[in-house]
Amino acid sequence: MAKIDFDKIPKFSELPIKKGAPADSNWGVFGDDDEVGCVNFLTPEGIVEAAKLVSRGKVFRLDTPINYANPPLFERQPVDHIKKSFESYGLLGFDDVLNGYNTQEGSQWDGLGHVGNLAAQSYYNGVKNDAIKSTNKLGIHNWADRFIGRGVLIDAFRYRAEQGRPVNPLTDERYSLADLQAALKAQGTTLKPGSILLVRTGWMQAYLAAPAAAKAAMAPMDKLKACGIDDSREMVAWLWDSRVAAIGTDCPAVEPWPWDFKHDGALHYRTLSLLGLPLGEQFVLDPLAADCAGDGRFEFMMVSVPLHLRGGIASPPNAVAIK
Ligand code: UVW
């Protein structure tokens, strides 16, 4: 893990630093061969500081149980969980077998091989499609022991409701940068360099409360409508200039769904492909948000240990927030 001098990291307005790199990309900032992206902002010093945020020993699991969405969103396959018996060996016991496990069936970090920028025909740091397809380049394994540090929650859903401008999470409404900044201020929280930012949009709570028929109706890609955060240039400039290491939300796509795959300015491209900034989706944030509202502390230690899957495209976060 290389030491990061936060003062030497270029500002968004100074990007790109590499000749020929797309506008608004940070390619080369962490090295031409870097496969870690903004997770580089999580440092050993940051882990030590984050550990000081633990005072009550309260732990919040941030992942959905496997197969929570029935059916899974975006036509992803449900997991077939088989318990393989040891009976034939004359033993009492079982193994698990997960057939058809899509690492994005529920809570997930989108890895840097998830989407590439169409205009640049490249993934983060200029990696080409063939390298994603046939090598382990930009795999989720690069984050397997790196996703630990200070977590910050912005309860944007609560803030908007308190402002008398409630968001309906089951529509494609968006949270603006001004909403996120005002919510942070109202909470009395600051974004220090090297934070994992979690944004509660209210989607998960609304989805879980929906009847089974509504869940089935919203699962197909062309039927889903979901809130998210704005895909503006200002939004990513703020995330980068705040040295955010990753952004996780409780909605399906971080940005509102549907988003236009052909639109260069989509948040997926601006973050994953241009900045190497992980996107977290379908996180469980409601119990954590209730606790933060209760004690007025919206920061915590966060430990996320993605699957050690070489070349993996995405992973359940296997994440906990500890207060
Ligand atoms: C798509 O946007 C297609 O997937 P996800 O929201 O899981 O990143």
Side-chain angles (χ1 to χ4, degrees):
M1 209 184 284
K3 201 167 165 56
I4 292 280
D5 185 344
F6 284 101
D7 295 332
K8 292 213 172 104
I9 301 285
K11 294 196 167 37
F12 192 79
S13 58
E14 294 163 340
L15 298 179
I17 57 144
K18 189 174 165 159
K19 210 164 163 241
D24 299 342
S25 79
N26 64 358
W27 297 3
V29 167
F30 299 114
D32 286 346
D33 296 323
D34 177 64
E35 300 183 48
V36 177
C38 291
V39 171
N40 278 299
F41 289 142
L42 299 174
T43 61
E45 297 75 25
I47 294 173
V48 172
E49 284 305 308
K52 294 179 189 161
L53 297 172
V54 178
S55 59
R56 289 156 52 217
K58 263 203 112 168
V59 180
F60 299 87
R61 179 82 196 199
L62 304 180
D63 311 39
T64 46
I66 288 178
N67 273 342
Y68 92 101
N70 181 17
L73 305 180
F74 304 120
E75 296 145 50
R76 286 175 174 137
Q77 199 177 326
V79 185
D80 182 19
H81 178 197
I82 293 165
K83 292 185 190 177
K84 192 167 171 291
S85 168
F86 295 159
E87 243 169 289
S88 60
Y89 302 104
L91 280 171
L92 280 184
F94 297 92
D95 276 358
D96 282 318
V97 178
L98 300 181
N99 280 333
Y101 180 45
N102 183 323
T103 56
Q104 284 163 276
E105 59 79 41
S107 304
Q108 68 201 256
W109 287 120
D110 282 349
L112 301 183
H114 180 47
V115 291
N117 183 285
L118 286 177
Q121 284 294 301
S122 295
Y123 295 74
Y124 169 66
N125 236 355
V127 173
K128 297 294 177 198
N129 203 52
D130 275 351
I132 301 293
K133 200 190 286 181
S134 51
T135 75
N136 292 333
K137 203 82 179 150
L138 299 185
I140 202 85
H141 64 281
N142 288 295
W143 298 336
D145 60 354
R146 300 288 298 267
F147 237 119
I148 303 168
R150 175 183 186 246
V152 170
L153 176 77
I154 299 181
D155 194 343
F157 180 66
R158 186 165 186 267
Y159 174 77
R160 283 282 303 262
E162 282 173 357
Q163 293 300 301
R165 296 186 298 126
V167 167
N168 179 351
L170 302 182
T171 69
D172 60 357
E173 275 189 75
R174 61 190 57 218
Y175 291 91
S176 66
L177 174 57
D179 286 333
L180 301 194
Q181 289 174 325
L184 252 186
K185 196 166 171 213
Q187 291 173 189
T189 321
T190 49
L191 263 189
K192 296 181 193 154
S195 301
I196 301 167
L197 178 60
L198 301 177
V199 179
R200 178 173 176 252
T201 68
W203 184 85
M204 183 60 77
Q205 176 181 288
Y207 174 81
L208 293 176
K215 286 180 179 143
M218 70 176 96
M221 272 215 195
D222 61 349
K223 296 288 184 297
L224 182 67
K225 285 248 172 19
C227 69
I229 69 164
D230 195 20
D231 60 1
S232 64
R233 187 163 185 258
E234 292 67 33
M235 180 70 81
V236 285
W238 177 67
L239 294 169
W240 173 255
D241 286 338
S242 305
R243 311 316 185 199
V244 165
I247 177 165
T249 60
D250 59 342
C251 63
V254 181
E255 59 193 310
W257 184 269
W259 58 273
D260 180 359
F261 295 164
K262 301 278 180 217
H263 175 47
D264 243 10
L267 196 71
H268 272 64
Y269 301 138
R270 287 188 185 281
T271 52
L272 292 170
S273 328
L274 297 185
L275 295 176
L277 178 71
L279 295 181
E281 298 157 344
Q282 301 178 59
F283 276 40
V284 175
L285 300 180
D286 298 322
L288 175 65
D291 191 83
C292 292
D295 71 0
R297 284 182 56 235
F298 289 79
E299 58 178 353
F300 36 83
M301 181 169 194
M302 183 159 160
V303 179
S304 172
V305 190
L307 291 178
H308 205 163
L309 177 61
R310 290 192 191 103
I313 296 298
S315 173
N318 298 319
V320 288
I322 314 170
K323 294 183 77 181

